[in-house]
Amino acid sequence: MQGYILGKKNQITLISAILIALGFFGRFGLDNMFIFNWSLIIASILGIAPIAIQAYQALKVKVVSIDVLVTIAVIGALLIQNYEESAIVTFLFLFGAYLEQRTLNKTRSAIKELTEIAPESALIQMENGDFEEVDVDDVDEDDILLVKTGAKVPVDGTVLTGEGHLNEASITGESVPVSKTKDSEVFAGTILENGTLQIRADRVGEDTTFGRIIELVEEAQDSKSEAERFIDRFSKYYTPAVLILGAIVWLFTQNVELAITILVLGCPGALVIGVPVSNVSGIGNGARNGVLLKGSEVITDFSKVDTIVFDKTGTLTVGNPEVAEKEFYENNTELILRYLASVERESEHPLAKAVLEDIGETTFSTVEETEVVKGEGVVAKVDGHRVVVGNVALMERKNILLNKKARKDIERFEQNGNSLVLTAVDGELKALMGIRDQIRPDVKQDLQRLKKLGVKSLVVLSGDNQGTVDLVARELALTEAHGHMLPEGKSAYIEEMQAKGQIIAFVGDGVNDSPSLTLADIGIAMGSGTDVAIETSDVVLMNSDFSRLPHALGLTKATARNMKQNITIAVGVVLVLLASLLFSEWMNMSIGMLVHEASILVVIFNAMRLLRYRLRGSKYHKNIKTQKNTDAANTNQAA
């Protein structure tokens, strides 16, 4: 029965609201006190049921929770026939609990999402040399497996024969597929975009890198599930104090009505609604500005963050490799680009895709006698001309002269973190392109805003090479930069920093980021990232708009301050009411109720200020100022 009632708390809250509205309509609309009293009595009895059960459960484990105080106060209000107060207090308490509950506990489905991504079968070599499909759980170490184009790698292993490009985004988070040849290491859960590989199984099942990702998420989620709500921690001291005060008054005065009045006045109506309404206002502001905040604990913890750790790809950078720099050594660039596009459209390499996207619409020539030089590029005949497209090593192999200017350009492009694509026609270098993942626009200004908001350390962790990571760190003035990091390395770094007392927020977008997102004090996911990253996070930046991050931090700090203000108002009003009741003759139940209701309105209006919050200097703040100026100008013009 207890479980059934607690499971219907939301329905009870709705029914209580309807009954309270009906009661006040009966009194003021129909002048019928019978409807007024019985509507509020029924609302009080229905509302107190789940609260009393929670109070009983708390007392069983020797905890004097706020549910205990609310239960006693409501019963007392009923005994002295103050049905209005008893009904309103129960409704406010249940409604406040509902507001918090609906924004919490949204990460459990992440385990299911990860499990669905995990490979389920594998092609294993039998004794006769043929490959047969088996369940991935039947694969043992040292088995020989076949991976075809489009298939998931089922285990961590080593390439024995074959070559191809693997999409390792699920492990490293990098958007550019990685070339794999003999003796290369491969990871379970990655996808072979082209080619065919035979691999030797080195780690299987839960021992694979992907298996450890799932395990890390499970452990991190369990460690977070023990968090207590802020208001319960506060009531640990507040609730017993009010109960003791009521008991002392009754012992000394033998005045039951006075003691019950103290409990009624001491019942924290504004306190009950103050924190949830601040949270809802903050969450509402965030939602309107593309920031999803998952509950009050997130707001409180995020407001205290002093270190923010970023994944690089898709977070600080756009996540799509693009042509960043170009140099031409031929005036007829249109012809050179046509030859280049004709050769590159024959390739599935990610750099080729970036080149074609940069060239855009063009006419293509017939490509003949194509020769693919593994790891270096392509040589082909186009319209009777010998065209070489590839890296510096291929140019040197094919005896393409690189003059002094070209070598300086190459050095400059490499220092800027580019992958190089050189194009030569009939033995002469004609074009040089540098391709890299672009840093998000205005991200440097956003990082500076984070520092102004009190963030002491900005750190980037990436599976990319250290040189590229260092380049990003220098350009963005980050505190630390660490490359060549797999998911377990990122999680270990976060745990190490937490052990030093730092409060960590982690920003990422991939499945590989999910352990770090969950393990960090605050996990922040880019909205266009994977579902599992979004679900394991505490904060989501919609549309992957990085500029929303400073707004999110500023908003949580403002919301945390607002919560403290509301708590101060609520407790201050209660103290004034109790002091007035004990040390003056003018305080009575009616005045106390009026002040109670006024204090509830005050904390609600105070919280509503958060709906208008904008971070000064942000593009949202500027847009609003621009709109106001435009409106004012239009008004003056009309006048």
Side-chain angles (χ1 to χ4, degrees), residues 444-508:
K444 189 170 185 178
Q445 294 89 325
D446 293 324
L447 294 173
Q448 290 173 347
R449 292 188 185 102
L450 292 175
K451 289 183 178 180
K452 290 180 180 179
L453 287 167
V455 178
K456 298 177 182 177
S457 299
L458 299 172
V459 182
V460 59
L461 307 180
S462 175
D464 209 343
N465 66 78
Q466 188 64 46
T468 301
V469 177
D470 286 339
L471 180 72
V472 172
R474 285 196 301 271
E475 187 168 344
L476 298 180
L478 301 178
T479 311
E480 295 180 37
H482 302 278
H484 300 293
M485 296 197 78
L486 293 177
E488 57 202 51
K490 295 179 183 180
S491 297
Y493 178 89
I494 289 172
E495 288 181 321
E496 181 183 344
M497 294 299 100
Q498 288 174 326
K500 294 179 181 178
Q502 296 183 22
I503 302 175
I504 307 292
F506 181 87
V507 187

Side-chain angles (χ1 to χ4, degrees), residues 592-609:
M593 284 180 59
L594 179 63
V595 175
H596 254 310
E597 301 307 318
S599 68
I600 291 172
L601 290 175
V602 168
V603 298
I604 289 175
F605 286 134
N606 184 51
M608 287 176 65
R609 295 189 301 116

Side-chain angles (χ1 to χ4, degrees), residues 53 134 159 232 307 362 369 373 436 479 502 508 595 610:
I53 290 172
V134 299
V159 177
D232 278 339
T307 300
T362 185
E369 300 178 13
V373 182
R436 65 174 182 265
T479 311
Q502 296 183 22
V595 175
L610 291 168

Side-chain angles (χ1 to χ4, degrees), residues 254-312:
Q254 295 297 304
N255 189 333
V256 176
E257 184 175 349
L258 179 61
I260 292 176
T261 303
I262 286 176
L263 294 182
V264 172
L265 295 183
C267 184
L271 181 63
V272 167
I273 198 66
V275 171
V277 77
S278 292
N279 290 327
V280 170
S281 296
I283 291 168
N285 178 297
R288 291 196 308 191
N289 289 282
V291 177
L292 176 59
L293 300 167
K294 297 184 179 179
S296 61
E297 288 183 62
V298 171
I299 291 172
T300 303
D301 293 342
F302 194 10
S303 67
K304 300 176 182 177
V305 161
D306 55 25
T307 300
I308 300 183
V309 179
F310 302 93
D311 174 53
K312 180 181 74 68

Side-chain angles (χ1 to χ4, degrees), residues 18 36 53 145 205 229 241 268 293 313 336 361 364 404 409 432 437 455 469 474 572 576 595 628:
I18 294 172
F36 176 72
I53 290 172
L145 306 176
R229 294 182 303 171
L293 300 167
T313 304
I336 299 305
E361 293 186 8
F364 296 100
K404 187 175 181 180
D409 291 337
L432 169 65
D437 196 0
V455 178
V469 177
R474 285 196 301 271
V576 169
V595 175
K628 286 182 177 178

Side-chain angles (χ1 to χ4, degrees), residues 12-312:
I12 290 173
T13 305
L14 178 60
I15 293 171
S16 294
I18 294 172
L19 288 170
I20 291 171
L22 176 63
F24 278 99
F25 175 74
R27 178 177 179 179
F28 296 106
L30 305 176
D31 196 24
N32 189 322
M33 292 302 296
F34 178 83
I35 295 177
F36 176 72
N37 288 330
W38 279 102
S39 294
L40 296 183
I41 289 171
I42 296 172
S44 300
I45 294 172
L46 283 175
I48 199 59
I51 301 171
I53 290 172
Q54 290 172 171
Y56 169 71
Q57 292 175 344
L59 290 174
K60 280 177 65 177
V61 294
K62 300 179 181 179
V63 174
V64 182
S65 68
I66 198 169
D67 303 275
V68 177
L69 178 58
V70 172
T71 301
I72 296 173
V74 170
I75 292 173
L78 285 170
L79 290 175
I80 60 175
Q81 299 183 358
N82 195 327
Y83 309 131
E84 186 176 345
E85 181 74 6
S86 62
I88 291 175
V89 166
T90 55
F91 168 72
L92 289 174
F93 191 85
L94 292 174
F95 186 60
Y98 162 75
L99 291 176
E100 285 209 68
Q101 182 185 17
R102 69 188 296 251
T103 55
L104 299 175
N105 302 322
K106 293 183 179 179
T107 63
R108 285 298 170 186
S109 60
I111 300 299
K112 178 183 176 183
E113 295 287 341
L114 277 177
T115 305
E116 290 176 351
I117 295 172
E120 297 178 350
S121 62
L123 291 172
I124 188 169
Q125 189 176 48
M126 312 306 290
E127 292 183 359
N128 61 5
D130 294 335
F131 288 91
E132 292 185 9
E133 186 172 356
V134 299
D135 191 279
V136 72
D137 293 332
D138 295 331
V139 177
D140 297 320
E141 291 183 9
D142 295 325
D143 283 345
I144 307 301
L145 306 176
L146 177 66
V147 184
K148 298 180 179 180
T149 298
K152 294 177 184 175
V153 177
V155 297
D156 287 2
T158 303
V159 177
L160 299 178
T161 62
E163 60 183 71
H165 285 88
L166 273 178
N167 184 337
E168 295 187 338
S170 61
I171 299 298
T172 66
E174 292 305 306
S175 59
V176 178
V178 180
S179 175
K180 298 293 181 179
T181 57
K182 187 177 185 297
D183 296 328
S184 297
E185 186 178 12
V186 296
F187 301 105
T190 57
I191 299 173
L192 184 62
E193 294 200 342
N194 57 62
T196 302
L197 302 176
Q198 284 190 25
I199 63 174
R200 181 186 68 246
D202 296 332
R203 291 181 297 276
V204 299
E206 295 180 355
D207 294 329
T208 65
T209 302
F210 195 84
R212 288 198 294 271
I213 289 177
I214 296 177
E215 184 180 0
L216 285 169
V217 172
E218 289 174 335
E219 291 177 354
Q221 285 192 328
D222 288 341
S223 68
K224 273 196 170 182
S225 64
E226 301 297 325
E228 291 183 306
R229 294 182 303 171
F230 171 79
I231 205 165
D232 278 339
R233 293 196 296 268
F234 181 83
S235 66
K236 177 182 178 182
Y237 305 100
Y238 177 83
T239 306
V242 175
L243 288 172
I244 292 171
L245 179 60
I248 291 174
V249 169
W250 178 76
L251 286 173
F252 278 92
T253 65
Q254 295 297 304
N255 189 333
V256 176
E257 184 175 349
L258 179 61
I260 292 176
T261 303
I262 286 176
L263 294 182
V264 172
L265 295 183
C267 184
L271 181 63
V272 167
I273 198 66
V275 171
V277 77
S278 292
N279 290 327
V280 170
S281 296
I283 291 168
N285 178 297
R288 291 196 308 191
N289 289 282
V291 177
L292 176 59
L293 300 167
K294 297 184 179 179
S296 61
E297 288 183 62
V298 171
I299 291 172
T300 303
D301 293 342
F302 194 10
S303 67
K304 300 176 182 177
V305 161
D306 55 25
T307 300
I308 300 183
V309 179
F310 302 93
D311 174 53
K312 180 181 74 68

Side-chain angles (χ1 to χ4, degrees), residues 561-579:
R561 287 194 302 270
N562 195 274
M563 283 192 286
K564 292 176 183 177
Q565 292 166 1
N566 281 353
I567 290 171
T568 302
I569 293 169
V571 175
V573 166
V574 170
L575 292 177
V576 169
L577 289 175
L578 293 177

